[in-house]
Amino acid sequence: MSQKIQAIRGMNDILPQRTPYWQKLEAILRQLLASYGFNEIRMPIVEKTTLFKRAVGEVTDIVEKEMYTFDDRNGDSLSLRPEGTAPCVRAGIEHGLLYNQEQRLWYMGPMFRHERPQKGRYRQFHQLGVETFGIATPDVDAELILMTARLWNALDIADTVRLEINSLGSNEARAEYRDALVAFLTPIKDQLDEDSQKRLATNPLRILDSKNPNTQELVVDAPKLADYLDTESKEHFARLCQILDANGIEYQVNQKLVRGLDYYNRTVFEWITDKLGAQGTICAGGRYDGLTEQLGGHATTASGFAMGIERIVSLMEDTSPIEMSDADIFMVALGDIAEINAMQLAEAIRTGLPSLRVRTNFGGGNFKKQFKRADKSGASIALVIGEQETNDKTVGVKFLREHKEQLMVSQSEIVNQLQKIIEK
Ligand code: ATP
Ligand code: MG
């Protein structure tokens, strides 16, 4: 035997026992997004490396150490997308979707980051990204949050998640705060963890959400961003809170919530669960009013979020398991002529009742063997055809999960009968 070839570490096959969760989530998401007036956009998986350097930021974890970057055959530096906002803004500018208009867009697909694989953290993972453009007011930030809250309800996982929000203020306010923070941390630099020491020069706000317990303790007394906020940002945040309150959305203001990407301003938020260990953030987003201009477009306000599909699927599996079955109706037929008859009948049912899953599985064998397969398929009804039924143009309806008498139905009536049975 030759050696087996395995998948790349951190890149997962999603197997049939798990795809029902993905399908359920995707179906609910499509419907939900449409109900809030969002339209889908699809971007390539590969972009020029400079796009992410400029948008996400040179000194972020993503660009510094997580990107899959390679030279194209003609020498251009390309990267597998680590996130979708930068590609979405790039596409929006390129196709004139953003200038002087409102857009509500979403996309779903794989993202790539070279991280250490563990539960909830993979090298190929999937995000739903939602981006709005041209709406400066806090009502749209609130609506993004309301939409996600509605999703948790639809998925039956609302009890396991909580919301944290914060305001990062304007760029100017943040710059002022940054100086104050650096002034506070510089004298105690030696006591910070190694990553935070580096960040002091490059991205000091990120020190606030360091996972290092010692660093966390040191920043307790640091200056507070809230004290540096500009008036408009304060008003924006107050209005956001007011709308959330009016809609019964519970939240915690977390002053240390700064997000890992450079492009955010004003509103930032995260939905967090305690059920997935350290990988607890299932959805994160905020406002990024400066990004479009930063990527060469006209200044356009923007607000959005991304959610990690794998983490949400994990929560669904733990909290509201889906009962698996391969079929609703299983055709059982004995003999060559009955088999052909059963296949014709299966086709007629698929035409008449396309939402039903009809499985044929003759593969020889006696009735007993076939009923075993029917049972294993999870079907609730077996339709039985033998020589007699073929001659009489009838079909036996056997209920596999309920104590109900077997019925004998005329083949021309079977679609109507099944319809009545499912409606009950
Ligand atoms: P984390 O702090 O967990 O690394 P992040 O801040 O890097 O998250 P974002 O860039 O905001 O994450 O991405 C949005 C969401 O995408 C995250 O909240 C998470 O649910 C999901 N996500 C991010 N990285 C991964 C990954 N490597 N594997 C699986 N899901 C991920
Ligand atoms: Mg990360």
Side-chain angles (χ1 to χ4, degrees):
M1 250 200 306
S2 55
Q3 216 181 0
K4 273 187 276 180
I5 299 171
Q6 290 190 322
I8 298 163
R9 200 163 114 82
M11 306 207 177
N12 300 314
D13 299 305
I14 302 160
L15 301 179
Q17 67 257 34
R18 195 162 262 169
T19 45
Y21 290 92
W22 286 70
Q23 289 174 353
K24 179 180 174 184
L25 176 56
E26 286 163 6
I28 290 177
L29 278 174
R30 277 170 206 282
Q31 212 268 313
L32 178 80
L33 287 154
S35 81
Y36 282 79
F38 283 83
N39 296 315
E40 186 182 6
I41 181 168
R42 301 187 186 196
M43 298 85 64
I45 283 170
V46 185
E47 298 272 357
K48 290 186 182 150
T49 303
T50 45
L51 173 66
F52 301 110
K53 284 196 174 167
R54 242 210 271 172
V56 177
E58 296 258 11
V59 290
T60 54
D61 285 352
I62 291 181
V63 170
E64 272 184 340
K65 43 190 183 198
E66 296 174 359
M67 278 214 291
Y68 280 89
T69 297
F70 59 95
D71 282 344
D72 196 0
R73 285 178 191 274
N74 58 12
D76 294 338
S77 178
L78 307 182
S79 294
L80 300 187
R81 62 182 187 191
E83 58 102 58
T85 302
C88 183
V89 172
R90 194 267 311 138
I93 295 170
E94 191 166 330
H95 302 288
L97 304 181
L98 307 185
Y99 182 49
N100 251 344
Q101 46 194 318
E102 278 181 20
Q103 289 288 350
R104 292 159 187 261
L105 304 175
W106 67 270
Y107 48 83
M108 192 155 31
M111 306 292 162
F112 304 84
R113 297 185 193 176
H114 196 274
E115 307 195 65
R116 194 167 67 78
Q118 51 197 292
K119 188 176 156 64
R121 192 175 294 288
Y122 309 105
R123 291 181 174 172
Q124 173 173 325
F125 63 100
H126 296 72
Q127 281 185 342
L128 166 79
V130 174
E131 320 286 358
T132 71
F133 298 96
I135 313 166
T137 44
D139 52 334
V140 73
D141 305 359
E143 202 171 59
L144 292 174
I145 291 173
L146 292 181
M147 186 165 78
T148 42
R150 184 179 291 273
L151 175 65
W152 314 140
N153 278 322
L155 297 173
D156 273 334
I157 58 173
D159 291 345
T160 65
V161 297
R162 61 193 157 82
L163 173 65
E164 293 189 356
I165 59 175
N166 193 22
S167 176
L168 300 180
S170 65
N171 288 342
E172 297 75 36
R174 214 160 50 255
E176 222 177 285
Y177 173 66
R178 190 187 145 114
D179 291 345
L181 185 65
V182 171
F184 171 85
L185 290 172
T186 304
I188 51 171
K189 183 176 172 186
D190 297 346
Q191 300 169 50
L192 297 173
D193 61 275
E194 204 180 313
D195 263 350
S196 296
Q197 291 194 13
K198 267 190 244 151
R199 284 183 177 144
L200 191 55
T202 54
N203 197 351
L205 263 64
R206 281 303 306 280
I207 298 172
L208 294 177
D209 75 352
S210 159
K211 305 263 178 338
N212 184 293
N214 191 41
T215 302
Q216 271 175 7
E217 229 168 89
L218 287 170
V219 298
V220 167
D221 297 323
K224 300 279 175 289
L225 181 53
D227 298 330
Y228 289 77
L229 288 191
D230 51 298
T231 314
E232 284 95 43
S233 293
K234 271 190 200 156
E235 282 167 9
H236 188 103
F237 193 61
R239 178 72 179 156
L240 168 68
C241 294
Q242 192 185 22
I243 301 174
L244 295 179
D245 291 338
N247 283 281
I249 303 287
E250 285 176 36
Y251 56 87
Q252 250 182 332
V253 177
N254 176 0
Q255 297 246 4
K256 301 216 168 74
L257 186 65
V258 295
R259 309 283 309 118
L261 288 64
D262 266 0
Y263 48 61
Y264 289 106
N265 66 302
R266 289 204 174 150
T267 310
V268 287
F269 67 90
E270 285 192 3
W271 286 96
I272 301 161
T273 177
D274 296 322
K275 297 222 155 179
L276 299 176
Q279 277 58 252
T281 304
I282 57 169
C283 174
R287 204 156 255 292
Y288 51 98
D289 296 327
L291 184 60
T292 305
E293 204 174 10
Q294 203 176 309
L295 291 179
H298 297 274
T300 309
T301 58
S303 186
F305 66 76
M307 60 176 69
I309 303 289
E310 279 82 355
R311 294 184 191 178
I312 294 169
V313 165
S314 239
L315 266 188
M316 290 166 72
E317 285 176 330
D318 291 349
T319 320
S320 62
I322 298 176
E323 244 183 77
M324 301 289 173
S325 84
D326 298 334
D328 301 306
I329 310 279
F330 199 99
M331 308 298 294
V332 170
L334 205 62
D336 287 348
I337 301 169
E339 270 187 20
I340 287 185
N341 188 196
M343 289 195 78
Q344 289 168 329
L345 208 56
E347 287 299 314
I349 296 168
R350 292 180 186 120
T351 304
L353 300 167
S355 68
L356 285 185
R357 297 168 302 164
V358 185
R359 280 242 326 231
T360 56
N361 179 292
F362 314 122
N366 56 22
F367 271 143
K368 195 172 162 207
K369 254 193 184 158
Q370 293 193 38
F371 274 116
K372 249 195 187 153
R373 285 190 215 125
D375 192 46
K376 211 174 147 209
S377 77
S380 52
I381 291 173
L383 295 184
V384 192
I385 301 184
E387 202 179 328
Q388 185 73 45
E389 286 81 2
T390 306
N391 289 336
D392 300 349
K393 294 271 170 260
T394 55
V395 51
V397 180
K398 190 170 160 60
F399 296 92
L400 300 172
R401 318 280 154 198
E402 294 168 276
H403 287 291
K404 267 192 351 201
E405 281 285 301
Q406 179 165 336
L407 307 174
M408 196 55 91
V409 176
S410 144
Q411 290 190 9
S412 60
E413 270 303 302
I414 188 67
V415 170
N416 285 337
Q417 286 294 329
L418 285 174
Q419 169 103 51
K420 280 188 198 147
I421 293 169
I422 9 178
E423 273 169 6
K424 265 191 210 148

